[in-house]
Amino acid sequence: MAEQTKEYRATLKPEGVRGKSIRKDELREVPHVTSRPNAKYAWAAGVAMSRFLDELKEGRIVGRKCRKCARVLVPPRMFCERCYRQTDEWVELPGTAVIETFAVSYLDTDANRIKEPILVGVVDLDGAPPHCGFMHYFDEMSPDEIHIGMPVEAVWKPKEERDGAITDIRYFRPRRK
Amino acid sequence: MSNRDVAVIGVGYTTFQALTPDVNWKEMMFEAASEAYEDAGLDPRKDVDSFITCAEDFWEGFSIFDEFTPDQLGAVLRPMHTVSGDGLQGLASAYMLIRSGLCDIVAVEAHSKISELLTFEGVVKLSFDPVYEAPLFETAHPYAAAGLEMRSYLEASGTTEEQCAAVAAQHKRNAFSNPIAGFAARIETDDVLDSGYLFDPLKKLEIAPRADGSIVIVLASGDVARRYAKPVYLEGIGWSSDSPWIASRGSDAPYAARAAEQAYRKASIANPQKEIDFAEVDDQFAFKTLQHLEALGLARPGEAGHLAEEGALGRNGHLPVNVSGGSLGCGHLMEASGLAKALEVTLQLRGEAGKRQLSNARVGVAQSWRGVPHGTGAVAVFSRRD
Ligand SMILES: [Zn+2]
């Protein structure tokens, strides 16, 4: 049965070698090549996102409204994926929101454990129908305080530090009356 | 018994340009897709059973590109998959979905946003065998691989450099009658010959410049297609891949010959020279046009160069080839190249090719090749059956 495969396996791994685990330093002894991809890109933001990023620089949040389903798409898109039609108009939003969902992250981006957890989540933006919003950070609140439905507001970088990126909003904090 | 024939019922496309900084790839795809659905008179949210995009992550610059395609195609929460290959391989997947009875209407998208890749050579190098071939291309440009293939083709077939140059000049002139082509030029064979060797024997003007663009083709089963005024039938399709070892490949594009055999068998074509009226073949490098025509059985080995010289491959010749302008005249659209060929064949068979319309175009063939250093190609045969 499957004699050829058996023979082939034997040429790859002589008897007695199969199943033997090797240490990391032994792995480096195996003939190998190393390489680092030279792959650089510059992606055009596009019509909708370009305007969005420009407005962020000015401290404004804008979306695109689809008249058919009445959603306001933020970040904006030139077409509505549900209705499959172009979106109709620009809408400016006040920068206040409520927390739709959140997670408390005890690991940083490189999987290191951190003392002060990072609060991430999705905000539902005021001035737009439910489930129209985006992902961002939360701060000036503790993991015990944060909850779904919590009213929040955007905290902006100082104008001179903004560079037309979603990080021009530093985070959302509990809304102050 | 339902009719499992497969036909094109809608096409949509953007123009093909060297740079498209004004739009992102999603906005570009939406333009082509919405035109294709309008052309087919369909609502993709209800009428299209499955969606296919042809894309390669390294060209795009981010991984798992599949996840970024539903919105702009109308495919949110619908069956959708990506083919990591050329557009004709995407058409093959659609063909199978329809022939098997799983779907009645399938949309296929392919695009290029290659202008956004800043290190084209770096990514092409990544497609060589990492252990053996890649280290050899640390110094030489990867297109040197095309130069060595051209030399072995010229040697084996007796084709001349002048004949290859004639092809490049012809395709660039053809592009003038194609409003979406980005690289039309009023040049002659001598201009190509004088353009300078980049990878001797390959010359500068024999290499297709890269372009951005998006194409969407909607396919339907015969039952659905019957309701349309100008269905163009996909009579047969085939594809094949050669070994990745450059040194063990032939000089006669065997991937194209095998793909053609499969496509012709499905399309019941016994004598391609007699039965096929025109062709859109891969021409990323001018000599590839001639090599592919011979592999497709549209010319005898060594004959294609003579046909080019005599003008037989022009719009008024007996075998019009790449009247669209091909990749040399339209721009090389990466994984969308095959769909660009299929688009031109469809427009010709519909009688919608404008200034470049061929008379008596009844059966056309589209052929693709995935480019250096690949040995993968596909062939599709279309007819208008009236
Ligand atoms: Zn909508």
Side-chain angles (χ1 to χ4, degrees), chain B residues 56-86:
Chain B
E56 177 67 53
D57 287 359
F58 263 111
W59 295 142
E60 312 295 339
F62 34 95
S63 56
I64 322 177
F65 186 74
D66 320 38
E67 297 299 315
F68 294 94
T69 53
D71 287 17
Q72 56 272 30
L73 295 181
V76 173
L77 295 175
R78 309 291 302 282
M80 161 96 224
H81 72 276
T82 293
V83 170
S84 185
D86 172 79

PDB file of all heavy atoms in Angstrom, chain B residues 56-86:
ATOM      1  N   GLU B  56      -4.634  39.819  -6.475  1.00  0.00           N
ATOM      2  CA  GLU B  56      -3.457  39.228  -5.850  1.00  0.00           C
ATOM      3  C   GLU B  56      -3.040  40.184  -4.735  1.00  0.00           C
ATOM      4  O   GLU B  56      -2.791  41.359  -4.980  1.00  0.00           O
ATOM      5  CB  GLU B  56      -2.374  39.096  -6.927  1.00  0.00           C
ATOM      6  CG  GLU B  56      -1.062  38.579  -6.461  1.00  0.00           C
ATOM      7  CD  GLU B  56      -1.139  37.133  -6.003  1.00  0.00           C
ATOM      8  OE1 GLU B  56      -1.620  36.286  -6.757  1.00  0.00           O
ATOM      9  OE2 GLU B  56      -0.718  36.876  -4.858  1.00  0.00           O
ATOM     10  N   ASP B  57      -2.967  39.686  -3.507  1.00  0.00           N
ATOM     11  CA  ASP B  57      -2.742  40.557  -2.350  1.00  0.00           C
ATOM     12  C   ASP B  57      -1.524  41.468  -2.495  1.00  0.00           C
ATOM     13  O   ASP B  57      -1.563  42.630  -2.104  1.00  0.00           O
ATOM     14  CB  ASP B  57      -2.576  39.727  -1.077  1.00  0.00           C
ATOM     15  CG  ASP B  57      -3.899  39.133  -0.605  1.00  0.00           C
ATOM     16  OD1 ASP B  57      -4.933  39.393  -1.256  1.00  0.00           O
ATOM     17  OD2 ASP B  57      -3.895  38.413   0.401  1.00  0.00           O
ATOM     18  N   PHE B  58      -0.448  40.952  -3.051  1.00  0.00           N
ATOM     19  CA  PHE B  58       0.765  41.761  -3.128  1.00  0.00           C
ATOM     20  C   PHE B  58       0.627  42.931  -4.106  1.00  0.00           C
ATOM     21  O   PHE B  58       1.278  43.955  -3.934  1.00  0.00           O
ATOM     22  CB  PHE B  58       1.980  40.906  -3.487  1.00  0.00           C
ATOM     23  CG  PHE B  58       2.774  40.501  -2.278  1.00  0.00           C
ATOM     24  CD1 PHE B  58       2.801  39.184  -1.858  1.00  0.00           C
ATOM     25  CD2 PHE B  58       3.479  41.444  -1.553  1.00  0.00           C
ATOM     26  CE1 PHE B  58       3.533  38.810  -0.745  1.00  0.00           C
ATOM     27  CE2 PHE B  58       4.214  41.086  -0.435  1.00  0.00           C
ATOM     28  CZ  PHE B  58       4.239  39.761  -0.022  1.00  0.00           C
ATOM     29  N   TRP B  59      -0.205  42.773  -5.136  1.00  0.00           N
ATOM     30  CA  TRP B  59      -0.451  43.929  -6.015  1.00  0.00           C
ATOM     31  C   TRP B  59      -1.249  44.982  -5.245  1.00  0.00           C
ATOM     32  O   TRP B  59      -1.047  46.175  -5.413  1.00  0.00           O
ATOM     33  CB  TRP B  59      -1.241  43.550  -7.261  1.00  0.00           C
ATOM     34  CG  TRP B  59      -0.590  42.611  -8.232  1.00  0.00           C
ATOM     35  CD1 TRP B  59      -1.233  41.621  -8.926  1.00  0.00           C
ATOM     36  CD2 TRP B  59       0.778  42.573  -8.679  1.00  0.00           C
ATOM     37  NE1 TRP B  59      -0.335  40.971  -9.751  1.00  0.00           N
ATOM     38  CE2 TRP B  59       0.900  41.536  -9.621  1.00  0.00           C
ATOM     39  CE3 TRP B  59       1.918  43.330  -8.360  1.00  0.00           C
ATOM     40  CZ2 TRP B  59       2.105  41.222 -10.245  1.00  0.00           C
ATOM     41  CZ3 TRP B  59       3.120  43.014  -8.980  1.00  0.00           C
ATOM     42  CH2 TRP B  59       3.202  41.976  -9.908  1.00  0.00           C
ATOM     43  N   GLU B  60      -2.194  44.515  -4.432  1.00  0.00           N
ATOM     44  CA  GLU B  60      -3.080  45.444  -3.713  1.00  0.00           C
ATOM     45  C   GLU B  60      -2.355  46.112  -2.551  1.00  0.00           C
ATOM     46  O   GLU B  60      -2.617  47.264  -2.242  1.00  0.00           O
ATOM     47  CB  GLU B  60      -4.298  44.692  -3.153  1.00  0.00           C
ATOM     48  CG  GLU B  60      -5.018  43.771  -4.142  1.00  0.00           C
ATOM     49  CD  GLU B  60      -5.649  44.527  -5.281  1.00  0.00           C
ATOM     50  OE1 GLU B  60      -5.891  45.740  -5.145  1.00  0.00           O
ATOM     51  OE2 GLU B  60      -5.914  43.902  -6.336  1.00  0.00           O
ATOM     52  N   GLY B  61      -1.515  45.316  -1.868  1.00  0.00           N
ATOM     53  CA  GLY B  61      -0.792  45.868  -0.736  1.00  0.00           C
ATOM     54  C   GLY B  61      -1.398  45.570   0.605  1.00  0.00           C
ATOM     55  O   GLY B  61      -0.922  46.042   1.622  1.00  0.00           O
ATOM     56  N   PHE B  62      -2.481  44.804   0.642  1.00  0.00           N
ATOM     57  CA  PHE B  62      -2.983  44.351   1.931  1.00  0.00           C
ATOM     58  C   PHE B  62      -3.505  42.938   1.794  1.00  0.00           C
ATOM     59  O   PHE B  62      -3.876  42.502   0.712  1.00  0.00           O
ATOM     60  CB  PHE B  62      -4.036  45.280   2.522  1.00  0.00           C
ATOM     61  CG  PHE B  62      -4.919  45.943   1.532  1.00  0.00           C
ATOM     62  CD1 PHE B  62      -6.144  45.399   1.226  1.00  0.00           C
ATOM     63  CD2 PHE B  62      -4.516  47.105   0.897  1.00  0.00           C
ATOM     64  CE1 PHE B  62      -6.962  46.002   0.299  1.00  0.00           C
ATOM     65  CE2 PHE B  62      -5.326  47.713  -0.028  1.00  0.00           C
ATOM     66  CZ  PHE B  62      -6.550  47.160  -0.335  1.00  0.00           C
ATOM     67  N   SER B  63      -3.534  42.247   2.928  1.00  0.00           N
ATOM     68  CA  SER B  63      -3.809  40.821   2.844  1.00  0.00           C
ATOM     69  C   SER B  63      -5.297  40.517   2.904  1.00  0.00           C
ATOM     70  O   SER B  63      -6.092  41.321   3.381  1.00  0.00           O
ATOM     71  CB  SER B  63      -3.064  40.078   3.949  1.00  0.00           C
ATOM     72  OG  SER B  63      -3.405  40.612   5.194  1.00  0.00           O
ATOM     73  N   ILE B  64      -5.641  39.344   2.433  1.00  0.00           N
ATOM     74  CA  ILE B  64      -7.019  38.846   2.413  1.00  0.00           C
ATOM     75  C   ILE B  64      -7.924  39.860   1.712  1.00  0.00           C
ATOM     76  O   ILE B  64      -8.911  40.338   2.263  1.00  0.00           O
ATOM     77  CB  ILE B  64      -7.519  38.497   3.831  1.00  0.00           C
ATOM     78  CG1 ILE B  64      -6.373  37.856   4.637  1.00  0.00           C
ATOM     79  CG2 ILE B  64      -8.701  37.529   3.766  1.00  0.00           C
ATOM     80  CD1 ILE B  64      -6.708  37.524   6.063  1.00  0.00           C
ATOM     81  N   PHE B  65      -7.563  40.185   0.488  1.00  0.00           N
ATOM     82  CA  PHE B  65      -8.255  41.222  -0.271  1.00  0.00           C
ATOM     83  C   PHE B  65      -9.741  40.913  -0.451  1.00  0.00           C
ATOM     84  O   PHE B  65     -10.557  41.830  -0.604  1.00  0.00           O
ATOM     85  CB  PHE B  65      -7.589  41.409  -1.639  1.00  0.00           C
ATOM     86  CG  PHE B  65      -8.146  42.559  -2.422  1.00  0.00           C
ATOM     87  CD1 PHE B  65      -7.837  43.858  -2.052  1.00  0.00           C
ATOM     88  CD2 PHE B  65      -8.990  42.353  -3.494  1.00  0.00           C
ATOM     89  CE1 PHE B  65      -8.361  44.931  -2.749  1.00  0.00           C
ATOM     90  CE2 PHE B  65      -9.516  43.420  -4.193  1.00  0.00           C
ATOM     91  CZ  PHE B  65      -9.198  44.719  -3.817  1.00  0.00           C
ATOM     92  N   ASP B  66     -10.110  39.633  -0.405  1.00  0.00           N
ATOM     93  CA  ASP B  66     -11.505  39.214  -0.542  1.00  0.00           C
ATOM     94  C   ASP B  66     -12.446  40.068   0.306  1.00  0.00           C
ATOM     95  O   ASP B  66     -13.551  40.397  -0.092  1.00  0.00           O
ATOM     96  CB  ASP B  66     -11.737  37.785  -0.046  1.00  0.00           C
ATOM     97  CG  ASP B  66     -10.646  36.826  -0.398  1.00  0.00           C
ATOM     98  OD1 ASP B  66      -9.472  37.229  -0.365  1.00  0.00           O
ATOM     99  OD2 ASP B  66     -10.973  35.675  -0.698  1.00  0.00           O
ATOM    100  N   GLU B  67     -11.955  40.352   1.520  1.00  0.00           N
ATOM    101  CA  GLU B  67     -12.809  41.016   2.499  1.00  0.00           C
ATOM    102  C   GLU B  67     -13.142  42.447   2.106  1.00  0.00           C
ATOM    103  O   GLU B  67     -14.053  43.051   2.653  1.00  0.00           O
ATOM    104  CB  GLU B  67     -12.120  41.012   3.865  1.00  0.00           C
ATOM    105  CG  GLU B  67     -11.890  39.606   4.410  1.00  0.00           C
ATOM    106  CD  GLU B  67     -13.195  38.851   4.622  1.00  0.00           C
ATOM    107  OE1 GLU B  67     -14.131  39.447   5.177  1.00  0.00           O
ATOM    108  OE2 GLU B  67     -13.272  37.682   4.210  1.00  0.00           O
ATOM    109  N   PHE B  68     -12.414  43.008   1.156  1.00  0.00           N
ATOM    110  CA  PHE B  68     -12.608  44.406   0.800  1.00  0.00           C
ATOM    111  C   PHE B  68     -13.434  44.598  -0.476  1.00  0.00           C
ATOM    112  O   PHE B  68     -13.491  45.680  -1.011  1.00  0.00           O
ATOM    113  CB  PHE B  68     -11.257  45.092   0.640  1.00  0.00           C
ATOM    114  CG  PHE B  68     -10.493  45.175   1.926  1.00  0.00           C
ATOM    115  CD1 PHE B  68      -9.562  44.207   2.256  1.00  0.00           C
ATOM    116  CD2 PHE B  68     -10.744  46.201   2.824  1.00  0.00           C
ATOM    117  CE1 PHE B  68      -8.863  44.274   3.449  1.00  0.00           C
ATOM    118  CE2 PHE B  68     -10.059  46.270   4.018  1.00  0.00           C
ATOM    119  CZ  PHE B  68      -9.118  45.308   4.344  1.00  0.00           C
ATOM    120  N   THR B  69     -14.033  43.536  -0.973  1.00  0.00           N
ATOM    121  CA  THR B  69     -14.695  43.653  -2.271  1.00  0.00           C
ATOM    122  C   THR B  69     -16.217  43.680  -2.262  1.00  0.00           C
ATOM    123  O   THR B  69     -16.810  44.155  -3.221  1.00  0.00           O
ATOM    124  CB  THR B  69     -14.228  42.516  -3.211  1.00  0.00           C
ATOM    125  OG1 THR B  69     -14.424  41.268  -2.548  1.00  0.00           O
ATOM    126  CG2 THR B  69     -12.773  42.669  -3.557  1.00  0.00           C
ATOM    127  N   PRO B  70     -16.910  43.169  -1.244  1.00  0.00           N
ATOM    128  CA  PRO B  70     -18.369  43.085  -1.356  1.00  0.00           C
ATOM    129  C   PRO B  70     -19.075  44.425  -1.573  1.00  0.00           C
ATOM    130  O   PRO B  70     -19.955  44.524  -2.441  1.00  0.00           O
ATOM    131  CB  PRO B  70     -18.802  42.457  -0.026  1.00  0.00           C
ATOM    132  CG  PRO B  70     -17.627  41.658   0.404  1.00  0.00           C
ATOM    133  CD  PRO B  70     -16.439  42.484  -0.013  1.00  0.00           C
ATOM    134  N   ASP B  71     -18.706  45.466  -0.811  1.00  0.00           N
ATOM    135  CA  ASP B  71     -19.455  46.728  -0.860  1.00  0.00           C
ATOM    136  C   ASP B  71     -19.635  47.252  -2.280  1.00  0.00           C
ATOM    137  O   ASP B  71     -20.743  47.554  -2.715  1.00  0.00           O
ATOM    138  CB  ASP B  71     -18.736  47.818  -0.052  1.00  0.00           C
ATOM    139  CG  ASP B  71     -18.855  47.596   1.445  1.00  0.00           C
ATOM    140  OD1 ASP B  71     -19.191  46.464   1.854  1.00  0.00           O
ATOM    141  OD2 ASP B  71     -18.603  48.565   2.195  1.00  0.00           O
ATOM    142  N   GLN B  72     -18.518  47.388  -2.981  1.00  0.00           N
ATOM    143  CA  GLN B  72     -18.561  48.080  -4.266  1.00  0.00           C
ATOM    144  C   GLN B  72     -19.127  47.220  -5.395  1.00  0.00           C
ATOM    145  O   GLN B  72     -19.403  47.713  -6.474  1.00  0.00           O
ATOM    146  CB  GLN B  72     -17.182  48.633  -4.639  1.00  0.00           C
ATOM    147  CG  GLN B  72     -16.060  47.638  -4.679  1.00  0.00           C
ATOM    148  CD  GLN B  72     -15.373  47.441  -3.334  1.00  0.00           C
ATOM    149  OE1 GLN B  72     -15.976  47.586  -2.283  1.00  0.00           O
ATOM    150  NE2 GLN B  72     -14.111  47.089  -3.369  1.00  0.00           N
ATOM    151  N   LEU B  73     -19.314  45.916  -5.130  1.00  0.00           N
ATOM    152  CA  LEU B  73     -19.893  45.047  -6.162  1.00  0.00           C
ATOM    153  C   LEU B  73     -21.368  44.742  -5.895  1.00  0.00           C
ATOM    154  O   LEU B  73     -22.020  44.075  -6.688  1.00  0.00           O
ATOM    155  CB  LEU B  73     -19.119  43.723  -6.234  1.00  0.00           C
ATOM    156  CG  LEU B  73     -17.666  43.824  -6.682  1.00  0.00           C
ATOM    157  CD1 LEU B  73     -17.029  42.445  -6.741  1.00  0.00           C
ATOM    158  CD2 LEU B  73     -17.564  44.514  -8.035  1.00  0.00           C
ATOM    159  N   GLY B  74     -21.894  45.194  -4.772  1.00  0.00           N
ATOM    160  CA  GLY B  74     -23.280  44.854  -4.424  1.00  0.00           C
ATOM    161  C   GLY B  74     -23.360  43.467  -3.824  1.00  0.00           C
ATOM    162  O   GLY B  74     -24.399  42.812  -3.864  1.00  0.00           O
ATOM    163  N   ALA B  75     -22.259  42.994  -3.258  1.00  0.00           N
ATOM    164  CA  ALA B  75     -22.167  41.593  -2.830  1.00  0.00           C
ATOM    165  C   ALA B  75     -22.221  41.412  -1.315  1.00  0.00           C
ATOM    166  O   ALA B  75     -21.927  40.324  -0.822  1.00  0.00           O
ATOM    167  CB  ALA B  75     -20.878  40.985  -3.379  1.00  0.00           C
ATOM    168  N   VAL B  76     -22.616  42.458  -0.573  1.00  0.00           N
ATOM    169  CA  VAL B  76     -22.653  42.335   0.889  1.00  0.00           C
ATOM    170  C   VAL B  76     -23.616  41.221   1.310  1.00  0.00           C
ATOM    171  O   VAL B  76     -24.755  41.174   0.845  1.00  0.00           O
ATOM    172  CB  VAL B  76     -23.076  43.676   1.533  1.00  0.00           C
ATOM    173  CG1 VAL B  76     -23.290  43.523   3.034  1.00  0.00           C
ATOM    174  CG2 VAL B  76     -22.016  44.745   1.260  1.00  0.00           C
ATOM    175  N   LEU B  77     -23.127  40.317   2.127  1.00  0.00           N
ATOM    176  CA  LEU B  77     -23.902  39.165   2.623  1.00  0.00           C
ATOM    177  C   LEU B  77     -24.425  38.274   1.506  1.00  0.00           C
ATOM    178  O   LEU B  77     -25.520  37.719   1.587  1.00  0.00           O
ATOM    179  CB  LEU B  77     -25.040  39.634   3.547  1.00  0.00           C
ATOM    180  CG  LEU B  77     -24.571  40.304   4.838  1.00  0.00           C
ATOM    181  CD1 LEU B  77     -25.747  40.849   5.636  1.00  0.00           C
ATOM    182  CD2 LEU B  77     -23.773  39.310   5.693  1.00  0.00           C
ATOM    183  N   ARG B  78     -23.637  38.184   0.444  1.00  0.00           N
ATOM    184  CA  ARG B  78     -23.972  37.297  -0.678  1.00  0.00           C
ATOM    185  C   ARG B  78     -22.753  36.403  -0.956  1.00  0.00           C
ATOM    186  O   ARG B  78     -21.649  36.696  -0.505  1.00  0.00           O
ATOM    187  CB  ARG B  78     -24.278  38.124  -1.936  1.00  0.00           C
ATOM    188  CG  ARG B  78     -25.294  39.244  -1.720  1.00  0.00           C
ATOM    189  CD  ARG B  78     -26.692  38.728  -1.469  1.00  0.00           C
ATOM    190  NE  ARG B  78     -27.168  37.891  -2.572  1.00  0.00           N
ATOM    191  CZ  ARG B  78     -27.617  38.380  -3.734  1.00  0.00           C
ATOM    192  NH1 ARG B  78     -27.680  39.676  -3.934  1.00  0.00           N
ATOM    193  NH2 ARG B  78     -28.032  37.569  -4.678  1.00  0.00           N
ATOM    194  N   PRO B  79     -22.954  35.325  -1.723  1.00  0.00           N
ATOM    195  CA  PRO B  79     -21.795  34.474  -2.063  1.00  0.00           C
ATOM    196  C   PRO B  79     -20.756  35.285  -2.853  1.00  0.00           C
ATOM    197  O   PRO B  79     -21.096  35.931  -3.832  1.00  0.00           O
ATOM    198  CB  PRO B  79     -22.393  33.379  -2.937  1.00  0.00           C
ATOM    199  CG  PRO B  79     -23.847  33.372  -2.606  1.00  0.00           C
ATOM    200  CD  PRO B  79     -24.200  34.802  -2.292  1.00  0.00           C
ATOM    201  N   MET B  80     -19.530  35.241  -2.387  1.00  0.00           N
ATOM    202  CA  MET B  80     -18.479  36.080  -2.983  1.00  0.00           C
ATOM    203  C   MET B  80     -17.156  35.372  -2.773  1.00  0.00           C
ATOM    204  O   MET B  80     -16.901  34.839  -1.697  1.00  0.00           O
ATOM    205  CB  MET B  80     -18.504  37.421  -2.235  1.00  0.00           C
ATOM    206  CG  MET B  80     -17.265  38.272  -2.356  1.00  0.00           C
ATOM    207  SD  MET B  80     -17.467  39.483  -3.640  1.00  0.00           S
ATOM    208  CE  MET B  80     -15.879  39.357  -4.454  1.00  0.00           C
ATOM    209  N   HIS B  81     -16.307  35.320  -3.781  1.00  0.00           N
ATOM    210  CA  HIS B  81     -14.965  34.829  -3.542  1.00  0.00           C
ATOM    211  C   HIS B  81     -13.970  35.509  -4.472  1.00  0.00           C
ATOM    212  O   HIS B  81     -14.355  36.136  -5.458  1.00  0.00           O
ATOM    213  CB  HIS B  81     -14.866  33.304  -3.652  1.00  0.00           C
ATOM    214  CG  HIS B  81     -14.977  32.753  -5.030  1.00  0.00           C
ATOM    215  ND1 HIS B  81     -16.169  32.505  -5.651  1.00  0.00           N
ATOM    216  CD2 HIS B  81     -14.025  32.386  -5.919  1.00  0.00           C
ATOM    217  CE1 HIS B  81     -15.949  31.994  -6.864  1.00  0.00           C
ATOM    218  NE2 HIS B  81     -14.654  31.918  -7.049  1.00  0.00           N
ATOM    219  N   THR B  82     -12.703  35.407  -4.097  1.00  0.00           N
ATOM    220  CA  THR B  82     -11.646  35.994  -4.900  1.00  0.00           C
ATOM    221  C   THR B  82     -10.837  34.889  -5.565  1.00  0.00           C
ATOM    222  O   THR B  82     -10.561  33.871  -4.948  1.00  0.00           O
ATOM    223  CB  THR B  82     -10.733  36.867  -4.024  1.00  0.00           C
ATOM    224  OG1 THR B  82     -11.484  37.983  -3.573  1.00  0.00           O
ATOM    225  CG2 THR B  82      -9.533  37.373  -4.794  1.00  0.00           C
ATOM    226  N   VAL B  83     -10.516  35.104  -6.814  1.00  0.00           N
ATOM    227  CA  VAL B  83      -9.604  34.204  -7.516  1.00  0.00           C
ATOM    228  C   VAL B  83      -8.265  34.915  -7.562  1.00  0.00           C
ATOM    229  O   VAL B  83      -8.168  36.030  -8.063  1.00  0.00           O
ATOM    230  CB  VAL B  83     -10.113  33.926  -8.942  1.00  0.00           C
ATOM    231  CG1 VAL B  83      -9.058  33.187  -9.759  1.00  0.00           C
ATOM    232  CG2 VAL B  83     -11.409  33.133  -8.900  1.00  0.00           C
ATOM    233  N   SER B  84      -7.256  34.280  -7.005  1.00  0.00           N
ATOM    234  CA  SER B  84      -5.938  34.885  -7.014  1.00  0.00           C
ATOM    235  C   SER B  84      -5.276  34.555  -8.342  1.00  0.00           C
ATOM    236  O   SER B  84      -4.347  33.766  -8.426  1.00  0.00           O
ATOM    237  CB  SER B  84      -5.120  34.342  -5.839  1.00  0.00           C
ATOM    238  OG  SER B  84      -3.903  35.005  -5.777  1.00  0.00           O
ATOM    239  N   GLY B  85      -5.801  35.150  -9.386  1.00  0.00           N
ATOM    240  CA  GLY B  85      -5.311  34.865 -10.726  1.00  0.00           C
ATOM    241  C   GLY B  85      -5.835  35.897 -11.697  1.00  0.00           C
ATOM    242  O   GLY B  85      -6.384  36.930 -11.297  1.00  0.00           O
ATOM    243  N   ASP B  86      -5.667  35.613 -12.979  1.00  0.00           N
ATOM    244  CA  ASP B  86      -6.082  36.536 -14.019  1.00  0.00           C
ATOM    245  C   ASP B  86      -7.601  36.516 -14.206  1.00  0.00           C
ATOM    246  O   ASP B  86      -8.274  35.549 -13.862  1.00  0.00           O
ATOM    247  CB  ASP B  86      -5.392  36.136 -15.327  1.00  0.00           C
ATOM    248  CG  ASP B  86      -5.918  36.926 -16.494  1.00  0.00           C
ATOM    249  OD1 ASP B  86      -5.495  38.079 -16.652  1.00  0.00           O
ATOM    250  OD2 ASP B  86      -6.767  36.409 -17.236  1.00  0.00           O
TER     251      ASP B  86
END
